């Protein structure tokens, strides 16, 4: 592991791991995350366009594309729908710009990061409904399914996989593939790594996921395949690219999905990286392992997609998204703000 990676793990173990042993306070976690967030600069030749929900407006008036676009000037030949992590109850597209910017530019893809509704105010299946509506809107606005990839991290990774399953079950055109970083796929928390890696994971104690899951589940079963896609029939899904760290308490949420997907005939590239923390691509551009993970992810995206070289429909859609907003950088706060104190 790089020196940067060791320092980040040291920081997480001292600053964030203890917080996961405390009772869940939704308001406090959201407030602390908002204070810590570090915003990377918008890459040269790209534009950031924000289009968030209007407070107090009906959900129907804001749906389905609430969030942020990072778009290449002149349009890009492929599109990524990104679903951020945050345990389904906090974080936002803003907290995950380091991944969104890094993945979009490397994959030469316009990327939409969805601001899906959060629990507990909006329990399951609100986030899934939002992800499905956003994907269908992207198709309706001219992004071909074969040039589109769904990606996500942690809770967003589980949501991305659940979205694939729901799209397949509904008979929708499926995207070309999916990128899943440390996905949370089992809200029943039955993986052996929950216990085996408790104390080894620099970020989370093992029992925190069982305490957080009810916030999202509400009255739903923890084994509902649309909430916990580990329990879904995975046949017929597009290729998957998955990454997880060897010491993560959520490691088995990745390993078991990879095994079951392969058994169902799905093409799976699954990397288990030694000692790396939960969703380490978020530490780009400061951590070499994060940059390599984004490089590999982009190679996968380019390999599975069919480029839409005209990109004209995408450009016309993006041009209606409203004024852009350049983010400001502060590298000294990167390690603290990129991480979160409760699972993402």
């Amino acid at each position: 592991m790089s020196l940067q990676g060791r320092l980040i793990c040291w920081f997480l173990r001292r600053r964030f791991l203890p917080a996961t042993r405390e009772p869940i306070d939704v308001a406090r976690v959201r407030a602390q995350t908002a204070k810590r967030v570090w915003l990377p600069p918008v890459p040269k030749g790209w534009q950031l366009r924000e289009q968030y929900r209007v407070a107090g407006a009906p959900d129907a008036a804001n749906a389905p594309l609430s969030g942020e676009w990072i778009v290449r000037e002149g349009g890009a030949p492929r599109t990524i729908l990104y679903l951020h992590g945050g345990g389904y109850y906090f974080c936002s597209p803003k907290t995950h710009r380091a991944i969104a910017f890094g993945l979009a530019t490397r994959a030469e893809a316009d990327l939409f990061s969805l601001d899906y509704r959060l629990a507990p105010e909006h329990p399951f299946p609100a986030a899934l409904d939002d992800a499905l509506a956003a994907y269908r809107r992207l198709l309706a606005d001219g992004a071909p399914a074969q040039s589109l990839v769904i990606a996500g991290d942690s809770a967003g990774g589980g949501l991305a996989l659940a979205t694939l399953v729901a799209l397949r079950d509904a008979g929708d055109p499926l995207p070309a593939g999916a990128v899943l970083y440390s996905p949370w796929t089992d809200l029943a928390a039955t993986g052996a790594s929950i216990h085996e890696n408790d104390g080894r994971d620099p970020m989370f104690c093992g029992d925190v996921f069982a305490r957080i899951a009810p916030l999202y589940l509400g009255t739903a079963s923890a084994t509902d395949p649309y909430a916990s896609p580990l329990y879904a029939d995975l046949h017929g899904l597009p290729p998957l690219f998955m990454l997880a760290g060897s010491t993560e308490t959520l490691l088995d949420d990745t390993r078991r999905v990879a095994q079951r997907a392969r058994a169902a005939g799905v093409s799976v590239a699954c990397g288990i990286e030694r000692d790396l923390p939960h969703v380490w691509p978020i530490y780009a551009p400061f951590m070499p392992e994060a940059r390599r993970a984004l490089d590999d992810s982009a190679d996968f995206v380019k390999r599975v997609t069919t480029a839409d070289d005209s990109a004209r429909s995408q450009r016309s859609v993006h041009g209606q998204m409203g004024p852009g907003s350049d983010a400001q950088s502060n590298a000294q706060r990167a390690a603290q703000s990129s991480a979160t104190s409760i699972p993402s």
Side-chain angles (χ1 to χ4, degrees):
M1 187 190 301
S2 67
L3 174 61
Q4 296 94 322
R6 293 178 186 276
L7 288 173
I8 287 170
C9 286
W10 173 84
F11 178 79
L12 292 173
R13 193 174 295 280
R14 286 177 58 90
R15 182 64 179 85
F16 292 101
L17 178 61
T20 67
R21 300 191 178 101
E22 299 173 359
I24 306 302
D25 184 331
V26 173
R28 178 179 60 83
V29 171
R30 289 176 180 174
Q32 289 180 344
T33 302
K35 291 178 181 178
R36 294 190 186 108
V37 65
W38 168 77
L39 301 179
V42 177
K44 185 177 180 180
W46 294 71
Q47 296 180 5
L48 175 67
R49 294 174 179 152
E50 300 178 78
Q51 50 188 61
Y52 283 99
R53 290 182 175 89
V54 178
D59 288 334
N62 290 294
L65 291 182
S66 175
E68 297 183 350
W69 278 104
I70 178 70
V71 297
R72 190 172 71 176
E73 294 178 1
R78 54 188 63 86
T79 304
I80 297 173
L81 172 61
Y82 196 83
L83 307 174
H84 68 81
Y88 290 108
Y89 75 98
F90 76 118
C91 285
S92 70
K94 290 183 179 180
T95 62
H96 285 63
R97 284 181 184 174
I99 293 180
F101 291 6
L103 184 57
T105 54
R106 286 168 169 82
E108 299 177 10
D110 291 339
L111 183 148
F112 182 73
S113 186
L114 177 66
D115 185 37
Y116 57 84
R117 289 170 294 170
L118 298 178
E121 298 91 337
H122 303 282
F124 172 81
L128 178 61
D129 289 344
D130 288 353
L132 290 169
Y135 177 82
R136 288 164 177 159
R137 175 61 180 271
L138 291 174
L139 293 185
D141 285 342
Q146 64 269 22
S147 71
L148 203 159
V149 164
I150 296 180
D153 66 276
S154 197
L159 179 58
L161 185 59
T163 301
L164 291 180
V165 173
L167 288 170
R168 181 207 60 199
D169 291 351
D172 287 81
L174 294 178
V179 175
L180 312 176
Y181 300 132
S182 304
W184 188 19
T185 64
D186 179 16
L187 274 65
T190 63
S193 60
I194 291 285
H195 306 289
E196 294 172 354
N197 281 343
D198 192 9
R200 300 180 66 211
D201 189 323
M203 198 166 181
F204 303 124
C205 65
D207 70 354
V208 69
F209 300 99
R211 290 187 280 119
I212 288 174
L215 295 176
Y216 177 58
L217 289 170
T219 59
S221 169
T223 58
D224 186 311
Y226 293 145
S228 295
L230 173 69
Y231 301 98
D233 176 357
L234 301 178
H235 82 275
L237 298 188
L240 306 178
F241 179 89
M242 308 179 71
L243 291 177
S246 65
T247 58
E248 289 196 57
T249 49
L250 283 183
L251 172 60
D252 279 345
D253 283 43
T254 292
R255 289 195 298 202
R256 290 181 293 167
V257 164
Q259 293 168 355
R260 295 182 184 188
R262 286 170 177 151
V266 178
S267 174
V268 180
C270 182
I272 307 300
E273 304 298 333
R274 182 176 178 181
D275 297 334
L276 291 179
H278 185 66
V279 193
W280 70 90
I282 204 169
Y283 300 108
F286 309 101
M287 184 178 173
E289 294 90 343
R291 295 194 294 271
R292 287 196 293 270
L294 291 175
D295 288 342
D296 292 342
S297 303
D299 288 344
F300 168 83
V301 171
K302 291 178 179 179
R303 185 170 65 251
V304 299
T305 55
T306 300
D308 177 18
D309 292 326
S310 70
R312 285 176 295 193
S313 60
Q314 297 177 41
R315 285 199 297 272
S316 64
V317 170
H318 304 330
Q320 300 171 12
M321 295 307 170
S325 175
D326 287 350
Q328 302 299 313
S329 63
N330 186 345
Q332 293 177 347
R333 297 168 53 198
Q336 180 176 357
S337 60
S338 294
T340 50
S341 57
I342 303 295
S344 52

